[in-house]
Amino acid sequence: MARVAQFVVSGLLAATVANGQSFDGTSRSEDAFSYVQPENTTILGPYGHSPAVLPSPNATGTGEWKEAYAKAQEFVAKLTIDEKADMVTGQPGPCVGNIVAIPRLGFPGLCLQDGPLAIRVADYASVFAAGVTVASTWDRDLLYERGYAMGQEFKAKGAHVALSPVAGPLGRSAYAGRNWEGFAADPYLTGVAMEKTIRGHQDAGVQATPKHFIGNEQETQRNPTYNPNGTLTDVIQEALSSNIDDRTMHELYLWPFANAVRAQAASFMCAYQRLNGSYACENSKALNGLLKEELGFQGYVMSDWGGTHSGVSSIEGGLDMNMPGGLGAYGKTPGVGSFFGKNVTYAVNNGTVDESRVDDMIIRIMTPYYWLGQDEDYPEVDPSSADLNTFSPRSTWIREFNLTGERSRDVRGDHAELIRKLAAEATVLLKNEKQALPLKAPKNIAIFGNDAGENTMGAVNEATFEFGNLAAGGGSGTGRFTYLVSPLEAIKTRAKEDDALVQYFLNNTQIATNNVTDLWVPATPDACLVFLKTWAEEGADREHLTVDYNGNEVVESVAKSCNNTIVITHSSGINVLPWANHPNVTAILAAHYPGQEAGNSIVDVLYGDVNPAGHLPYTIAKNATDYNAPPTTELSTDGTHDWQSWFDEKLEIDYRYFDAKNISVQYEFGFGLSYTTFSISDINAEQVAESIPSIPEDQPIQPGGNPALWETIYNVTVAVTNSGDVKGATVPQLYVTFPDSTPEGTPPKQLRGFEKVSLAPGESRTVGFELMRRDLSYWDIVSQKWLVPEGEFVLSVGFSSRDLKEVAKITPVSV
Ligand code: NOJ
């Protein structure tokens, strides 16, 4: 009840604190609410509004961070107020984000670099597989290894902070432009991926930055529209507001970020858009309430670039670092104006902001710096990063940067091998008929599609590049390719072993409009490999869910004459595949964005050197119109606050929706074939906790929240057997169906366990899933707690969300 009282008090504060907290008053008919709020329990304010949660909680240096916290305290004690302002405000400089050095204290400053699949602004660095690709492996070890290898490269280039990984967007909408930067349209799988990636980054010595917190589920109107002739505060229309109810917030969007806090992520990046009416980077409910208080986050919150819309209210609302910052005289040039900078000094000097809050901001920034040992022998920023940085080129620098380190360092190590392996293991085999795959030393191979060959322009992909293999998407989440192995190059190399004829046709328009029998010689090829691509990028949502460049027509044209048409997609994620059931389309592989070894990894799968084990981290529907929750892309009104996105589908995104509405789909969440077959048997569920009360014990908050939520309360095991005749790996998945007593709107089943297992032919192994208290709980909006509902749970284990083989029933809460 203490928490209830606290929020009521916060509500009162909201009325009296003139801090600019945005309560924009947009209202909606009552039927938008799934619940009736009991009187005097306006804990979270109505859906679409955001109550103030003040003051911003101080870091306490709990657990492993204790020593580092003490060092950070000492550091802060030595700073002048101007230095304090510098510590919380970015400056134009060699990296995408820069905190300037304080030489008298031996502090070299901080270099922040994008992004989630590579250190972006760098040469001689690797481009790894994208988030969606690595999520398709469902492989905890590979997720960690990728995170670690990436971390090594950031560190070796002198970046202290990696602006990675992404859990927002989560994948509410199939069309969202940045889904591929994140992992899966499911909080559990994304949560595991976040945890593994963050631990990988940080074990390598670099700070991780889970982003974009929170509700960043579309690109359209993610930022305000400004008057082109006015100043930066001259807003015509505010950014979109993601309006999310409390239960949905906890069970979907906050869930993977809780894993991120638990993994001790150093920093969080708040999102561009508004959340329940108030900008995410000044939303005190999200930053102070959910993140710092409920989840016990001890690190710092940085703004997305230009996502800060106020000074004092952002600071009070929980923002600790303004990026990209600037000097503080608020102006129009990006990177120069800032609500922080000198304004922080003024605000402290005139008493508007308490200096202790600024101290806490810096303690939060410096604790992970010390914890990761970044104060000892950290590599200097590679000067080539400065040359490549188009975001803040040298001409914009106001402060001096010491760039005496070695230029153009090659930081790739042996990562190519891992990248190749990762992308091969991530490839999802969606269809394989007439034993089309693996290829059996074909003598005549025809390759089709503009995705197969070499890029014809530049090291960084652009939306307008018609020709060339698409191995990463666009925007800040992309990478600069030191090299890229195209599928065509790799197939040519491999086919030499069989002295095969390799002919290729890379112009989609010509393939689609010609009779392919006029193209190839001398007879129908043994295998027709069609490579298709689908672009997605930051700043824009996808306009359609089909493959790009007439890809559908290309498939139809090839399949009309080739009865062994094998389609490979390089895509940001969801594509509807209208030709999936075409009898001549014998195999389909979804390879997503594989990174620099694209060609080699697909050859490994095509020729069977790697047995595909990828599983879909989203659902492929039959029609694009089957998906719910499209982005909000058009407004018929022009009011300042009119961009509103109501997350009315609540928990029903992706398979949760298709299951709830009983819609048949092409390929369901979790689906993926192999060159062998598997079976599951002998499910067993054993209670581990002595007793399981519905309400968790209130333990002192640790990073990740109440530790009781992370305790294992059940162990579930199944036997998995490779029933085929080649070695292969599969991913048994555990889905939970909650009892009837759970509040309305609970999805029919939810992923709560998975484990990849590799098996020799005939081999059988026991696979275990640990169910934590959180896994069997729902978020109760009244008590503001995770509760295990009374009644019978159904635990189903299978190879996808719709291929469930074994069922166990448990009743954890005794009444
Ligand atoms: C904006 C993007 O939203 C964010 O993900 C990125 O890290 C920054 N720009 C810096 O490039």
Side-chain angles (χ1 to χ4, degrees), residues 505-720:
F505 311 97
L506 308 182
N507 186 317
N508 282 14
T509 313
Q510 292 196 17
I511 303 163
T513 54
N514 276 291
N515 195 338
V516 290
T517 54
D518 297 339
L519 300 176
W520 63 48
V521 291
T524 308
D526 301 330
C528 299
L529 306 178
V530 181
F531 285 88
L532 303 174
K533 61 180 173 181
T534 310
W535 173 257
E537 65 182 329
E538 177 181 346
D541 293 310
R542 291 170 60 187
E543 283 169 14
H544 56 79
L545 299 180
T546 51
V547 285
D548 290 344
Y549 295 103
N550 301 328
N552 290 342
E553 288 78 11
V554 169
V555 177
E556 293 292 345
S557 177
V558 175
K560 198 166 98 190
S561 307
C562 181
N563 64 3
N564 191 19
T565 299
I566 295 165
V567 183
I568 300 103
T569 59
H570 285 121
S571 166
S572 58
I574 294 175
N575 284 130
V576 282
L577 309 171
W579 30 262
N581 299 329
H582 192 302
N584 283 351
V585 173
T586 48
I588 306 172
L589 289 160
H592 298 109
Y593 292 156
Q596 67 189 32
E597 291 282 325
N600 287 333
S601 32
I602 201 68
V603 158
D604 289 346
V605 172
L606 288 170
Y607 280 81
D609 298 334
V610 172
N611 189 346
H615 289 254
L616 286 178
Y618 52 74
T619 301
I620 297 181
K622 291 205 156 139
N623 308 294
T625 46
D626 292 347
Y627 289 97
N628 65 344
T632 304
T633 51
E634 276 175 29
L635 280 192
S636 52
T637 55
D638 58 8
T640 316
H641 296 283
D642 287 358
W643 280 93
Q644 304 285 332
S645 177
W646 298 92
F647 286 37
D648 284 345
E649 73 289 344
K650 300 186 179 194
L651 298 172
E652 290 180 4
I653 66 166
D654 203 79
Y655 69 91
R656 289 165 167 76
Y657 166 70
F658 293 115
D659 287 352
K661 298 289 183 287
N662 210 6
I663 297 170
S664 70
V665 302
Q666 186 71 49
Y667 299 117
E668 70 274 12
F669 178 87
F671 179 79
L673 301 169
S674 162
Y675 297 153
T676 185
T677 50
F678 299 95
S679 64
I680 290 184
S681 59
D682 299 333
I683 192 166
N684 183 44
E686 199 180 315
Q687 184 170 331
V688 179
E690 233 165 71
S691 72
I692 303 173
S694 173
I695 304 172
E697 185 194 338
D698 254 334
Q699 298 177 15
I701 298 294
Q702 286 295 314
N706 181 356
L709 300 174
W710 301 94
E711 281 166 12
T712 300
I713 56 174
Y714 269 88
N715 267 337
V716 180
T717 53
V718 289
V720 184

Side-chain angles (χ1 to χ4, degrees), residues 114 188 199 216 236 364 375 548 643 707 741 743 759 765 778:
D114 286 312
Y188 183 89
R199 290 201 193 275
N216 194 162
I236 296 173
R364 285 175 173 277
D375 55 329
D548 290 344
W643 280 93
S741 69
L759 298 166
R765 245 193 251 172
Y778 70 95

Side-chain angles (χ1 to χ4, degrees), residues 213 269-274 278-284 287 301-304 306-310 313-315 317-320 340:
F213 192 74
M269 186 189 292
C270 51
Y272 274 137
Q273 90 297 328
R274 291 182 293 158
S278 146
Y279 275 99
C281 287
E282 62 186 42
N283 187 306
S284 64
L287 304 183
V301 179
M302 72 172 77
S303 70
D304 199 341
T308 308
H309 294 280
S310 60
S313 52
S314 293
I315 289 175
L319 182 66
D320 302 304
F340 280 31

